């Protein structure tokens, strides 16, 4: 085996020393070039729980892993064969095979399809994370690469490999080796050998940096000794000739390497030295004939992980164009995992990368594999049985296509997209930390090697397309650094340390961002952190010290950059933007000493800054996050807000501060002068433990006006409310306004407050002061709230002797103050006894109250001296009874007094207790405020279960007795009640109602559904006599509404109703009933008679004010008569029609005859002519025009040659005839044009051919030409998809409709969400493909919602081509045809369209084209008027 190189058997490189010496002469490298140092390997793995573990899921374990042979014999996972989308990408005729393509494509990538994915942008991460990566140009290496190309014809750089040395391969076969000082140590190879082998296409350095493997574009492999620069091996037979080396990789075993060629094959190279002779054995691991491998990556372990159990397998990951494979090379060849891609962009580059990560406190290798915009992570573990177990982690979905993936540490990855932009990503959170452009690098691409241009381009189209963006050999990582090889330079990128990231922000004057970043370091939330080690407390201390330095710098800058001149608002805005940052971070760091000493002193130099600083403290004080303020700052804070007249803010601050260090008396005085009562009470309580003095001060303000009977001001009301709340808090053991009283002080405070309240006199009492002034004042201020405070206090009292004494004492005082004085209102007295009743009703009651006091209260409330406050007294007594006070009264006496005082709610309360529900009806009817609620009460009693039959019967009978009162109260409610519960007693109810108007209102509510009463007429079964009685009442009280009401009524007899309407001479109503009866002629004669009488009346009248009214009546009657004739003319013969229309015409012309014979024309002659013309126009639709003219001319007056009077009528009729004739001709012309246009488009659509999108079946993916020998048909759809008929039948895509086989497109129908076959006719064509003809047959698709058309056998059926053409014609027209519009209009004019009372047409069959939301009526422009 091979260990150290043998100097005796090393081959001398004739050109290495010459080139090295020449380059060293050209550059004095040791003196001028900058140095770089590689960061050491990760010192320790982060043993923390991995954030993505909650998303991982296991790939099922394979019992018998597949062998390599079985994988090689598998077919590709692609459903369709690969088709190159852009064949010009492989046009190599114009490419010089000796000038290799190593230029950057960043400048020419604007048309890249990957750019189309950049639709969304991530937020700028600079403000969150700062600059994470530091990139720099290796000037020494870059300069020597350019010099080597110029002076020794080394060519352009093509590949790079980095370990403790840096190796750069060139296009002319040279390998330049640089050390860590960027000094050129070796120049391996020669240009003569480069001309024979081609460019270096791949490089690899082993673990101990002693060997270098070089792969060449023409397939050769060389091994070099990096210590001496000697050539150890030249391998030419390791893989098939004529293919370029794409990858060459050392494994952890220095005698084992892996290579991948442009044929897509992978070979294992084993190096041996036997008897001093070096050999290389090659074994094929994967053959490119079954799928090209374009990326390989062996698992390399770090020195500290060399004993990891997974390393003994020597894992190798391979990426083909269709799948990922992970195999183990040791102890024997074994496949551990296969993972298919699925469908991907064929131009995307497969990427692989290994790294050891800590998951669940266990270190294991993780494989990242990417293609396109998706990154998958696979965690590889070894289980107890020794088998490898693979689990898939949460994947990363990007918005750009990748061309490189590099681990920089176990938590951070660096991605390069197809437009040469770097993305730094935190793997666990998938957050993008930084992006940067690297187009200036001018990255070298390996496209020429993937196309194998040096050997004639004998590669597959798929591999060549992937190689367009391949840069595998241009990027190398080592020790946390990433090296990028450009056409003339080498760049190195690495993570900045946490101090560097902060310093970088500070240099750019981004102090706020630097503080935010430092705080994320302090809290352990920052990403990609480098340089912070040790335990948590030590790290926080280091970061905190750095933050303090920044804060001082930030404060100095804020003061320095403050504008010296200008408006004060500008200065305030400046400090409002800066000072809060200082305050926030000082408090976050818990450095109040720094905040209130050095920072406060520094900011106090500027008065504006000082004010802003003090205002910034307010939210922290109010949220209790800031306690222990120094006395000086506290004093300045109060003075500042006081100067700015922000006293409310001062009060809010005081009640959150520790004020023991302030001058208590001064603060109390300030609070009292500025009416800061909450703050004053707080200062007394917290500063002096004094709880009585605040109450005394407040009582002195509100007591005098209350005792004098004056109205309190708003300020005094506020003080009184605060006093009540304060007393409540003290008695409940709570501090005012916030917090709790110390437990040791709670009993003392309660006793002090009670003793204060029950004092007989105040401290400075006058001789006129009444007893118990404090209780009296609170009762006068708000009796109810004060008693509520006492009630809450009594509930908290323990049943000890002192508590019982206090309760009884306060109750006696309350009774003495309120009962013995007439100053209190009934409401206040009632509140007291309600309070007492509640206390007496408690099971553990210990109070004693004389019962005679309750009788006195009852007398006081029910027998007042005056009738004032009736509702108030009733409500107070009701509350007293509901609170349990009813046990204190005799119920019979209570009811008598309540009835006497008209307290109907009290009566209802008592009756309900005794279940006398019928008497409650009287209470409602006698109470004017609640009388309308009686209907709901009766309905609830009669319908809701829970009442006995006797109780319901008594309520029912009482309601019947008071039915007339109920109807007079609300007829509609009474009708609804009768229909629901008294339907069998309607005639009895009608008999009880003697008032005719009241009966009319009741019946209208009961029978007319338009009144809104919910009555079921079918269940009600009202006899016709009642309905006819209602119609008669309707004729009396509302004759104008009789016709409208008759149209909605049902239960009435026509003969009796006609007699009623004739009795009241309602001729229009009688005519309506006669028409409904079927006597059309009788109805017409009645209306005609009415019309004639009105015409005669108008003719007799002279010129007076009633002329217009009479003309309006004539017109209305004529319109009704015309409507009657139009409604019935369609059902009559010609003679019957003439019997209707001609008398109407004669009636309208008779006044005109009289006026023409008279000396002077009538005043409304023109109006009568207009009405007559309206009759003629209406009858023209039913009576022939010659008949009308003949009837006119037969008139004796006009038959004698006096045609002048009717000249206007005849000319109007002729104009109507001309209009209708023109309309008919225009309609016929439009229909002819539409028919001609439709036939032309139908003819064009039938003859149109189909153009398939592909030449293979969309189901079996085989070309149709390959199956010509089979008896099969080719189905071509209008959507462009092509199928074999056998394939469609296997997918059940055929339907039998009307005896014909109809086809459906499999892809289009399967994409339908409903999963149903479309049934729109003629969407496809099928045909048997022969050399001479195409035979077409129809397809079938059904549109949504349309049922299949069913036609009778007698109707003509369109053939499939006609059906398809007609569908295309309909889609082309995009709208309703003119024929459809005319049909709609003709339907609207027929039938019952003129019935005035007919309801709207409804149902599914009525679907008007005018209701379509897409309907648009396009009108032609008006004709130009000619002079």
């Amino acid at each position: 085996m091979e260990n150290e190189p043998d100097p005796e058997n090393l081959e001398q490189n004739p050109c290495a020393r010459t080139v090295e010496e020449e380059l060293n002469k050209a550059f004095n490298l040791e003196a001028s070039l900058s140095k770089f140092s590689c960061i050491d390997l990760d010192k320790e793995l982060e043993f923390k729980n991995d954030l993505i573990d909650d998303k991982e899921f296991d790939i099922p374990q394979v019992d018998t892993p597949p062998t390599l042979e079985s994988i090689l014999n598998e077919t590709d996972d692609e459903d369709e064969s690969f088709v190159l989308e852009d064949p010009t990408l492989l046009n190599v005729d114009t490419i010089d095979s000796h000038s290799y393509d190593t230029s950057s494509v960043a400048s020419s990538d604007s048309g890249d399809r990957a750019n189309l994915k950049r639709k969304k942008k991530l937020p700028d991460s600079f403000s969150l994370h700062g600059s994470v990566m530091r990139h720099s140009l290796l000037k020494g290496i870059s300069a020597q690469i350019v010099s080597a190309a110029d002076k020794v014809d080394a060519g352009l750089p093509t590949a790079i490999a980095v370990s403790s040395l840096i190796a750069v391969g060139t296009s002319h076969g040279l390998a330049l080796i640089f050390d860590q000082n960027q000094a050129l140590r070796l120049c391996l190879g020669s240009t003569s050998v480069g001309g024979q082998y081609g460019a270096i296409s791949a490089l690899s350095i082993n673990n101990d940096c002693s060997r270098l493997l070089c792969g060449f574009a023409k397939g050769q492999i060389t091994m070099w000794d990096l210590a001496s620069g000697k050539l150890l091996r030249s391998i030419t037979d390791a893989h098939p000739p004529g293919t370029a080396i794409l990858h060459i990789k050392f494994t952890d075993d220095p005698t084992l390497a892996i290579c991948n060629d442009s044929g897509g094959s992978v070979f294992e190279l084993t190096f041996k030295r036997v008897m001093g002779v070096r050999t290389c054995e090659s074994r094929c691991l994967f053959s490119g004939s079954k799928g090209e491998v374009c990326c390989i990556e062996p698992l390399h372990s770090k020195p500290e992980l060399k004993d990891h159990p997974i390393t003994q397998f020597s894992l190798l990951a391979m990426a083909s164009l269709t799948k990922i494979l992970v195999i183990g090379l040791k102890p024997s060849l074994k496949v551990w995992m296969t993972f298919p891609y699925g469908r991907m962009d064929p131009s995307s580059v497969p990427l692989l990368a290994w790294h050891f990560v800590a998951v669940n406190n266990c270190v294991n290798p993780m494989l990242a594999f990417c293609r396109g915009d998706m990154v998958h992570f696979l965690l590889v573990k070894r289980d107890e049985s020794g088998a490898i177990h693979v689990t898939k982690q949460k994947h990363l979905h990007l918005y750009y296509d990748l061309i490189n993936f590099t681990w920089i540490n176990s938590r951070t990855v660096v991605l390069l997209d197809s437009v040469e932009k770097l993305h730094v990503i935190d793997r666990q959170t998938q957050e993008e930390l930084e992006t940067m452009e690297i187009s200036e690098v001018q990255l070298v691409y390996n496209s020429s090697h993937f196309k194998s241009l040096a050997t004639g381009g004998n590669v597959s189209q798929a591999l060549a397309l992937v190689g367009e963006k391949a840069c595998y050999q241009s990027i190398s990582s080592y020790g946390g650094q990433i090296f990028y090889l450009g056409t003339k330079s080498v760049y190195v990128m690495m993570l900045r340390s946490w101090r560097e990231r902060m310093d970088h922000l500070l240099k750019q004057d981004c102090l706020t961002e630097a503080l935010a970043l430092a705080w994320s370091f302090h809290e352990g939330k920052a990403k990609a952190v480098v340089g912070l080690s040790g335990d948590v407390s030590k790290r926080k201390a280091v970061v905190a010290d750095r933050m303090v330095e920044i804060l001082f710098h930030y404060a100095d800058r804020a003061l320095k950059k403050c504008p010296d001149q200008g408006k004060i608002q500008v200065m305030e805005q400046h400090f409002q933007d800066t000072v809060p940052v200082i305050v926030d971070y000082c408090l976050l760091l818990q450095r109040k000493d720094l905040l209130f000493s050095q920072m406060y002193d520094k900011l106090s130099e500027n008065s504006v800054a000082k004010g802003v600083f003090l205002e910034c403290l307010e939210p922290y004080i109010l949220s209790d996050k800031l306690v222990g303020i120094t006395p000086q700052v506290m004093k300045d804070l109060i003075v500042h807000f006081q100067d700015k007249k922000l006293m409310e803010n001062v009060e809010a601050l005081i009640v959150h501060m520790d004020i023991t260090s302030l001058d208590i008396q001064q603060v109390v005085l300030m609070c009292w002068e500025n009416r800061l009562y909450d703050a004053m009470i707080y200062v007394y309580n917290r500063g002096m433990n004094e709880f009585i003095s605040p109450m005394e001060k407040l009582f002195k303000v509100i007591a005098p006006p209350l005792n004098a009977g004056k109205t309190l001001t708003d300020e005094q009301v506020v003080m009184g409310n605060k006093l009540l709340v304060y007393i409540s808090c003290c008695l409940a053991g709570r501090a005012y306004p916030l917090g709790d009283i110390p437990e040791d002080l709670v009993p003392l405070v309660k006793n002090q407050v009670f003793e204060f309240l029950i004092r007989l006199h105040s401290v400075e009492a006058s001789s006129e002061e009444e007893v118990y002034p404090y209780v009296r004042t609170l009762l006068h201020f708000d009796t109810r709230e004060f008693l509520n405070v006492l009630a809450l206090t009594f509930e908290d009292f323990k049943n000890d002797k002192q508590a019982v004494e206090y309760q009884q004492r306060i109750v006696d005082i309350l009774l003495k103050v309120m009962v013995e004085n007439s100053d209190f209102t009934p409401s206040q007295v009632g509140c007291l006894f309600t309070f007492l009743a509640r206390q007496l009703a408690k099971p553990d009651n210990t109070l004693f109250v004389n019962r005679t006091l309750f009788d006195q209260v009852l007398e006081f409330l029910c027998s007042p001296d005056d009738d004032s406050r009736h509702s108030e007294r009733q409500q107070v007594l009701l509350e007293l009874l509901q609170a349990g006070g009813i046990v204190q009264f005799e119920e019979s006496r209570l009811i008598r007094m309540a009835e006497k005082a008209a307290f109907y709610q009290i009566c209802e309360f008592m009756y309900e207790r005794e279940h006398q529900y019928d008497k409650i009806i009287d209470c409602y009817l006698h109470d004017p405020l609640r009388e309308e609620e009686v209907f709901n009460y009766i309905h609830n009693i009669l319908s809701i279960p829970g009442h006995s039959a006797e109780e319901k019967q008594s309520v029912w009978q009482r309601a019947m007795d008071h039915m007339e009162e109920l109807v007079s109260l609300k007829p509609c409610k009474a009708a609804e009640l009768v229909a629901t519960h008294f339907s069998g007693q309607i005639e009895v109810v009608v008999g009880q109602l003697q008032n005719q108007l009241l009966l009319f209102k009741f019946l209208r509510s009961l029978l007319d559904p338009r009144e809104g009463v919910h009555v079921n007429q079918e269940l009600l079964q009202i006899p016709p006599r009642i309905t006819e009685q209602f119609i008669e009442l309707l004729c009396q009280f509302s004759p104008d509404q009789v016709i409208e009401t008759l149209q909605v009524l049902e239960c009435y007899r026509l003969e009796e109703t006609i007699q009623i309407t004739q009795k009241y001479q309602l001729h229009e109503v009688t005519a309506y009933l006669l028409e409904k009866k079927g006597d059309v002629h009788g109805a017409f004669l009645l209306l005609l008679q009415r019309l004639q009488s009105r015409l005669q009346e108008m003719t007799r009248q002279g010129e007076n004010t009633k002329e217009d009214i009479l003309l309006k009546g004539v017109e209305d009657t004529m319109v009704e008569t015309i409507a009657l004739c139009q409604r019935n003319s369609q059902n009559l013969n010609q003679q019957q029609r003439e019997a209707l229309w001609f008398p109407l015409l004669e009636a309208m012309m008779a006044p005109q005859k009289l006026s023409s014979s008279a000396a002077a024309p009538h005043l409304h002659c023109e109006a009568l002519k207009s009405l007559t013309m309206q009759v003629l126009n209406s009858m023209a639709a039913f009576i022939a025009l010659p008949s009308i003219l003949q009837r006119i001319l037969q008139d004796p007056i006009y038959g004698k040659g006096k045609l002048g009077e009717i000249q206007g009528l005849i000319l109007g009729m002729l104009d109507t005839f001309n209009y209708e004739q023109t309309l008919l001709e225009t309609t016929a012309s439009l229909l002819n044009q539409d028919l001609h246009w439709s036939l032309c488009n139908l003819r064009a659509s039938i003859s149109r051919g189909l153009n398939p999108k592909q030449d293979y079946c969309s189901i079996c993916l085989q070309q149709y030409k390959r199956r010509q020998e089979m008896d099969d048909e080719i189905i071509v759809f209008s959507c462009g998809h092509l199928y074999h008929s056998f394939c469609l039948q296997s997918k059940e895509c055929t339907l039998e409709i009307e005896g014909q086989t109809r086809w459906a497109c499999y892809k289009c129908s399967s994409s339908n969400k409903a999963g149903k076959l479309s049934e729109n006719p003629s969407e496809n064509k099928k045909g048997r493909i022969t050399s001479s003809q195409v035979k077409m047959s129809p397809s079938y698709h059904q549109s949504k919602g349309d049922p299949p058309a069913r036609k009778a056998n007698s109707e003509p059926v369109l053939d499939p081509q006609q059906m398809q053409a007609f569908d295309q014609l309909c889609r082309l027209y995009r709208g309703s045809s003119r024929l459809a519009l005319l049909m709609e209009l003709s339907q609207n004019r027929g039938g019952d369209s003129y019935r005035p009372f007919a309801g709207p047409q409804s149902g599914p069959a009525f679907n008007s084209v005018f209701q379509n939301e897409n309907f648009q009526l396009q009108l032609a422009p008006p004709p130009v008027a000619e002079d």
Side-chain angles (χ1 to χ4, degrees), residues 384 912 953 1120 1221 1395:
E384 297 178 355
E912 192 166 0
Q953 180 62 30
E1120 293 179 7
Q1221 182 179 12
R1395 297 186 62 181

Side-chain angles (χ1 to χ4, degrees), residues 232-248:
L232 301 181
R233 287 180 177 84
S234 181
I235 306 168
T236 59
D237 56 354
H239 65 101
T243 56
I245 298 296
L246 300 182
H247 302 276
I248 185 80

Side-chain angles (χ1 to χ4, degrees), residues 1067-1175:
H1067 303 292
E1068 289 83 359
V1069 181
T1070 306
Y1072 168 77
L1073 293 172
L1074 289 174
E1075 182 183 5
K1076 188 173 183 179
K1077 179 182 176 183
D1079 188 2
V1080 178
H1081 192 68
F1084 171 74
L1085 291 178
L1086 197 60
L1087 290 178
L1088 183 64
Q1089 182 181 0
R1090 180 67 173 164
L1091 177 62
Q1092 291 174 345
S1093 63
R1094 289 192 172 184
L1095 286 172
Q1096 292 176 3
E1097 185 178 358
M1098 185 181 68
T1099 305
R1100 289 195 300 269
Q1101 292 291 337
E1103 296 182 5
N1104 53 28
T1105 57
K1106 295 184 179 180
E1107 196 73 20
D1108 294 335
I1109 300 176
L1110 293 175
L1111 181 61
K1112 183 67 169 59
V1114 169
E1115 185 176 1
D1116 293 342
T1117 307
M1118 186 200 72
V1119 170
E1120 293 179 7
T1121 310
I1122 290 175
L1124 172 68
C1125 297
Q1126 289 177 335
R1127 286 195 300 270
N1128 297 278
S1129 292
Q1130 293 182 351
N1131 301 323
L1132 302 177
N1133 55 31
Q1134 185 67 25
Q1135 183 178 0
Q1136 292 172 335
R1137 292 178 186 176
E1138 292 179 357
L1140 291 180
W1141 287 103
F1142 284 140
L1144 176 60
L1145 179 62
E1146 291 176 358
M1148 291 302 301
M1149 295 179 63
Q1152 300 180 53
K1153 299 176 185 178
L1154 295 176
S1155 62
S1156 62
S1157 61
H1162 195 268
L1163 181 64
H1164 292 286
C1165 183
E1166 293 299 328
L1168 290 175
K1169 287 184 180 180
S1170 176
L1171 295 177
T1172 306
M1173 193 64 211
Q1174 186 175 348
V1175 174

Side-chain angles (χ1 to χ4, degrees), residues 868-888:
S868 61
R869 297 181 175 178
H870 180 274
S871 61
E872 179 185 348
R873 289 185 284 108
Q874 180 178 216
Q875 191 64 32
V876 168
L877 183 56
L878 183 63
E879 291 181 4
L880 176 60
L881 297 177
Q882 291 173 345
I886 192 171
V887 299
Q888 309 293 334

Side-chain angles (χ1 to χ4, degrees), residues 655-702:
V655 299
H656 285 83
M657 293 165 59
D658 182 11
I659 45 82
T660 55
S661 58
L662 294 180
D663 187 346
I664 302 297
Q665 296 300 329
Q666 183 180 359
V667 174
V668 168
L669 181 61
M670 179 197 69
C671 294
W672 186 258
E673 291 176 352
N674 294 280
R675 301 174 181 177
L676 307 181
Y677 306 115
D678 290 350
M680 181 197 69
I681 296 173
Y682 177 83
V683 172
Y684 270 115
N685 296 164
R686 295 296 179 90
M688 298 181 289
N689 282 337
E690 174 61 54
F691 293 87
I692 302 303
S693 298
M695 288 193 290
E696 291 179 341
K697 294 179 72 68
L698 294 176
F699 269 116
K700 288 180 180 179
V701 177
I702 66 173

Side-chain angles (χ1 to χ4, degrees), residues 45 279 331 484 595 893 924 959 1049 1067 1087 1207 1259 1427:
L45 288 170
T279 61
Y484 293 90
L595 179 65
R893 180 172 179 270
Y924 276 106
L1049 292 179
H1067 303 292
L1087 290 178
Q1207 180 181 2
I1259 296 179
D1427 296 336

